Amino acid sequence: MIVDCAIYREGRRTEGPRDFSDALDQARSIGDSFLWLGLYEPTEEEFDLVSSEFGLHRLAVEDALKAHQRPKLEVYDDSLFMVLKPVVYEPHGDTVTSGELMLFVGDCFVVSVRHGEGAPLKAVRRRLEAEPELLKHGPTTVLYAVSDAVVDHYTEVAAELQTDLEELEAQIFSPTGGGDTKNTASRIYTFKRQLLEFRRATGPLAQPVQRLASAGVPFVNAKSQPFFRDVDDHLMKTNEAVEGLDRLLSDILSAHLAQVSVRQNDDMRKISAWAAMAAVPTMVAGVYGMNFDHMPELHWWWGYPAVILLMVVLEISLYRLFKRRGWL
């Protein structure tokens, strides 16, 4: 469906026809104007009208309808097509979800297609309308502002993930060792899946932004290169932060597995120590339980107390030995 349709002349929003076809004709005839048409999860029938009127390439139209695309930048004869993946962080569930945002940029129009809830277009439009000096540079301004808003939100999400990872790290390396082993491993794996979802949005976007920051991209104002270089710088920092989080998470998982192995070894030493302590009196009792007539001290009056005392002394000696070596 159509979310918003407006003509911008010299950076200011002007009243125009409600029909986007008439609005596009008016924007082309006036000069120094462009049309910004916003769509949210359009149907194939709705988008057929838009694509035929704006002359959008059929391959780009297919990508915009199907969604589930990687971030990319495609240049066609009549327009520029860019795909971004805004992300949403849910602090209560510690989950990262991504939407999709497609931008068609032409000589005097911008068509934005949004899938999911993660696209900040409404806030971007309000901000641009409050800065007519910036908006008067045309469709390139919209492309820059949307890319900048998406990348800036990446930085915020990366900071939230960093905080969550520090909390997880503190719990794992606490004196209790992270509590339930199965639950801890599950949390680490879930966190890694969320980080992978985030990387799918930030990683592939690096090349398109670098292209926009260079010269010679059609439908992009050459004077906008410094702005896109700024976006590229923020994106590089975010990608470096994500790479660092991924490495740290792998190290945490390895450390957790090492802790589990150490605890298992400690348990095995304790079990072995108690088994050894149980085996000594069993062996002595087994010797004196054999049915032989000629055995040492068999008919001695102090024989029974002496054997019991021997067992106690051996048990105490073994206990002190194992305790001193840290097995108990």
Side-chain angles (χ1 to χ4, degrees), residues 32-50:
D32 294 331
S33 303
F34 71 94
L35 173 68
W36 185 356
L37 176 64
L39 302 173
Y40 176 70
E41 295 184 356
T43 63
E44 186 174 353
E45 292 76 13
E46 291 173 339
F47 207 64
D48 282 343
L49 298 174
V50 176

Side-chain angles (χ1 to χ4, degrees), residues 242-319:
V242 173
E243 290 292 336
L245 289 174
D246 186 62
R247 289 194 298 268
L248 183 58
L249 190 60
S250 298
D251 293 341
I252 290 175
L253 179 59
S254 299
H256 171 66
L257 295 177
Q259 284 182 330
V260 172
S261 179
V262 169
R263 285 198 296 268
Q264 289 177 344
N265 290 336
D266 290 340
D267 294 339
M268 289 301 300
R269 283 200 301 266
K270 292 179 180 180
I271 293 173
S272 300
W274 286 111
M277 293 173 62
V280 170
T282 302
M283 180 188 67
V284 175
V287 170
Y288 280 90
M290 292 185 293
N291 297 321
F292 295 116
D293 290 333
H294 303 286
M295 292 184 65
E297 291 83 28
L298 187 62
H299 300 287
W300 184 38
W301 189 88
W302 293 101
Y304 179 75
V307 171
I308 296 298
L309 180 61
L310 176 64
M311 292 182 183
V312 172
V313 171
L314 290 175
E315 289 295 292
I316 293 175
S317 301
L318 288 174
Y319 180 82

Side-chain angles (χ1 to χ4, degrees), residues 94-272:
D94 294 338
T95 58
V96 175
T97 57
S98 62
E100 291 197 33
L101 178 59
M102 289 83 168
L103 293 175
F104 295 88
V105 179
D107 54 349
C108 61
F109 68 85
V110 176
V111 178
S112 58
V113 183
R114 182 165 59 95
H115 294 268
E117 301 297 330
L121 289 186
K122 188 175 181 180
V124 171
R125 191 186 285 263
R126 286 201 306 264
R127 181 169 66 86
L128 288 178
E129 290 177 354
E131 301 181 34
E133 289 298 322
L134 181 63
L135 192 57
K136 72 178 183 179
H137 293 288
T140 301
T141 303
V142 178
L143 180 62
Y144 156 71
V146 173
S147 303
D148 184 58
V150 170
V151 172
D152 284 347
H153 191 60
Y154 286 165
T155 305
E156 297 174 5
V157 173
E160 294 286 351
L161 290 174
Q162 177 69 39
T163 302
D164 289 344
L165 187 58
E166 290 175 356
E167 294 176 357
L168 179 61
E169 184 180 15
Q171 292 175 4
I172 291 175
F173 293 104
S174 64
T176 59
D180 184 17
T181 300
K182 293 183 179 179
N183 184 47
T184 301
S186 176
R187 290 172 56 200
I188 296 175
Y189 178 75
T190 301
F191 198 100
K192 202 169 184 65
R193 287 294 302 269
Q194 303 305 322
L195 197 60
L196 177 61
E197 181 70 19
F198 190 35
R199 293 182 65 181
R200 288 174 179 170
T202 62
L205 186 59
Q207 185 177 5
V209 173
Q210 289 173 1
R211 288 183 61 188
L212 291 173
S214 61
V217 180
F219 308 106
V220 176
N221 193 324
K223 296 181 179 179
S224 64
Q225 294 177 23
F227 297 95
F228 285 110
R229 282 198 294 267
D230 181 67
V231 176
D232 182 45
D233 181 62
H234 292 173
L235 183 60
M236 287 178 59
K237 292 180 179 177
T238 301
N239 283 327
E240 290 174 357
V242 173
E243 290 292 336
L245 289 174
D246 186 62
R247 289 194 298 268
L248 183 58
L249 190 60
S250 298
D251 293 341
I252 290 175
L253 179 59
S254 299
H256 171 66
L257 295 177
Q259 284 182 330
V260 172
S261 179
V262 169
R263 285 198 296 268
Q264 289 177 344
N265 290 336
D266 290 340
D267 294 339
M268 289 301 300
R269 283 200 301 266
K270 292 179 180 180
I271 293 173
S272 300

